[in-house]
Amino acid sequence: MEKENKLVKGLTLVTLFTLITGAMVGMAWAVLANVFLDRAGPAVLISIGVASVLTLFIGLCFAELCSAMPYAGGAYIYVRRGIGKFVGFIAGWLLVLAYAAMMPGECIILGKLVHGIFPALEPSIVGASLALFFTIVNLAGIRFSGIVQFLLTVALFAGIIIFIIAGVPELEAQNFKPFFGRGAGGILLMIPIAMLAFMGYDVLPQAAEEVNAPIRKMVFIIPASIFFVAFMYIAVLVVTAGVVPWELIASSTENIPIMPSVLEAMGPGGAYIIIIAGICGLITTMNAFMVGGSRLLYAMAQDREIPALFGKLSGKTKVPYAGIIFIGALGIAGSFIQELIVLFDTAAASVLVSYFLVALTVLMLRRKEPELERPYRIHGYPYIPIIAAIAVVPTWVIAVAILKIWALGVFIGWVLFGCGYYLLVRKNR
């Protein structure tokens, strides 16, 4: 029997594309350029190229499973069916931490960034206002949320493209020397780190039920978004490292280390363009993960894994209002309780677990359910999912290794609490 309340198909392929690319591209391209260049020099471009291919392999695993199971819940649904209910629950449980953690983290960062530009504005008020605004935007419906995401994502990439176009005529070959300034070790080290910069495409499966398009076209957005973002990252780094000597950027201690390249290519006015684009990037990430997180909570509640309230839809806009309000409240709380940034620090380690399990699920479901209808099937099976699973491991190790003690404690505690909660709920059913 069909559910009486269903999610509304309010996303188009265009708004879906901006939802995903907006989730993937925050402000790392502007604030971490010094880290990337310091570790590998201009040869980090090779690292990003390899990372994009490995990310594509993981994305194709999501594409195959999403084409077979185009339901809200994404990785939670896939792993639950392919590996088992308990492992599926843990995958979903960790994704709840990751998606929910993005909101307080982004609000804290945005509050500080805006305060740096306009000192009269209190960081906590800025962060809380943004959290409240996007809670209202998402409660207004997926169609409206998608339109807002589209406009902000266009502003984000417009700023990046302006920087690229302005910088290309200013490129000088000697600024890239020595190209392999940090050796092969730096290139290899940066591959798994660069993969972290592509996270966000997993939001697409969460919104799969709300896309008004054929499933084959929908899942094509995953590789398309990865290719597009890879091009943008590479182009930005080429300009950043080529307009001024790359070692100048690598040694920078500024909050936005690409500013010397920006000023050289665009003049003083360019700084405002980059800052506005960066703010838009942070906001699009925040909005996308609010969409993804609320749909994940909805799917888990539909399976009675978490309280049923999260599985209810609003009468008019048909959105999972409890999940949206919950994630928005975390953003407001984070704006006033800066210590909640510790949740943000756990996001990468939490998401990567689901990536690994999704790759394994492709392998297991091909054996368990060979007749399952798959509108999209990975070419190069089983090598691509195997490589995808292997590629996630060093990235996860790095993501865990860089966690501070409190963040590591939160991550481990969340896993243990989830295991205990699951066993208690299952026992009482």
Side-chain angles (χ1 to χ4, degrees):
M1 180 181 296
E2 289 189 357
K3 299 173 186 175
E4 187 174 332
N5 290 328
K6 297 192 298 183
L7 295 165
V8 173
K9 292 186 178 295
L11 291 174
T12 65
L13 290 176
V14 173
T15 52
L16 178 64
F17 180 77
T18 54
L19 181 71
I20 306 310
T21 53
M24 296 168 70
V25 181
M27 201 176 178
W29 54 275
V31 299
L32 295 180
N34 57 338
V35 175
F36 275 63
L37 290 170
D38 184 55
R39 299 294 189 276
V44 75
L45 297 170
I46 299 173
S47 305
I48 294 175
V50 174
S52 67
V53 173
L54 295 175
T55 300
L56 175 65
F57 289 175
I58 302 168
L60 293 177
C61 294
F62 274 94
E64 175 170 309
L65 296 173
C66 184
S67 74
M69 294 168 276
Y71 312 125
Y76 157 72
I77 296 291
Y78 314 151
V79 177
R80 191 174 193 267
R81 181 165 177 172
I83 300 178
K85 292 182 178 180
F86 174 69
V87 181
F89 172 82
I90 294 301
W93 187 251
L94 283 170
L95 280 176
V96 167
L97 174 61
Y99 290 172
M102 295 301 292
M103 197 66 177
E106 298 286 353
C107 287
I108 291 169
I109 295 169
L110 278 163
K112 291 180 178 179
L113 182 60
V114 173
H115 175 71
I117 304 169
F118 303 104
L121 297 177
E122 286 295 324
S124 56
I125 300 301
V126 172
S129 298
L130 285 169
L132 179 61
F133 175 75
F134 279 96
T135 299
I136 295 171
V137 165
N138 279 273
L139 288 174
I142 188 62
R143 184 176 290 107
F144 184 60
S145 176
I147 292 171
V148 172
Q149 181 80 359
F150 170 79
L151 296 174
L152 289 169
T153 305
V154 168
L156 161 64
F157 288 117
I160 293 176
I161 292 170
I162 290 171
F163 172 53
I164 294 169
I165 293 174
V168 168
E170 305 297 326
L171 294 178
E172 295 186 18
Q174 62 265 28
N175 290 334
F176 292 99
K177 297 177 181 179
F179 187 79
F180 297 96
R182 300 292 187 259
I187 298 172
L188 293 174
L189 172 65
M190 290 307 298
I191 291 173
I193 294 176
M195 289 178 66
L196 296 173
F198 287 92
M199 292 193 307
Y201 53 88
D202 49 290
V203 171
L204 183 148
Q206 303 295 346
E209 286 189 49
E210 297 165 278
V211 181
N212 187 19
I215 186 64
R216 283 188 64 86
K217 292 184 178 180
M218 183 200 310
V219 298
F220 176 74
I221 295 297
I222 294 178
S225 64
I226 292 170
F227 279 128
F228 177 78
V229 169
F231 172 80
M232 287 294 172
Y233 283 157
I234 290 172
V236 165
L237 270 171
V238 166
V239 172
T240 299
V243 169
V244 299
W246 69 265
E247 291 176 312
L248 177 65
I249 305 297
S251 61
S252 175
T253 58
E254 299 295 327
N255 292 330
I256 305 178
I258 70 169
M259 275 304 170
S261 297
V262 171
L263 296 175
E264 183 70 25
M266 304 167 65
Y272 296 101
I273 294 175
I274 294 302
I275 291 172
I276 291 171
I279 290 174
C280 288
L282 292 171
I283 293 174
T284 55
T285 300
M286 179 174 69
N287 185 56
F289 281 101
M290 175 174 275
V291 172
S294 58
R295 274 60 179 179
L296 171 63
L297 291 167
Y298 167 77
M300 294 183 73
Q302 290 283 298
D303 290 333
R304 298 187 301 149
E305 300 289 16
I306 59 175
L309 176 64
F310 290 104
K312 296 183 181 298
L313 301 178
S314 62
K316 185 176 181 180
T317 58
K318 303 297 183 185
V319 294
Y321 61 88
I324 292 171
I325 293 172
F326 170 70
I327 295 174
L330 278 177
I332 294 173
S335 300
F336 294 98
I337 307 172
Q338 301 286 297
E339 289 77 12
L340 286 180
I341 194 71
V342 70
L343 298 177
F344 183 73
D345 295 337
T346 66
S350 301
V351 169
L352 288 166
V353 172
S354 71
Y355 287 7
F356 178 78
L357 292 174
V358 163
L360 290 186
T361 298
V362 171
L363 296 168
M364 296 193 70
L365 271 181
R366 283 284 191 105
R367 297 187 65 181
K368 288 173 60 177
E369 300 185 46
E371 302 304 319
L372 177 66
E373 183 179 354
R374 297 171 173 86
Y376 169 78
R377 298 172 69 92
I378 294 175
H379 299 291
Y381 176 89
Y383 305 108
I384 285 181
I386 290 173
I387 294 171
I390 294 172
V392 171
V393 175
T395 307
W396 183 81
V397 170
I398 289 174
V400 172
I402 62 177
L403 289 179
K404 296 179 181 178
I405 187 65
W406 285 109
L408 182 61
V410 169
F411 178 78
I412 295 173
W414 184 256
V415 173
L416 294 176
F417 179 70
C419 292
Y421 170 80
Y422 181 85
L423 294 174
L424 179 65
V425 170
R426 294 291 291 176
K427 181 179 178 181
N428 290 333
R429 272 191 209 159

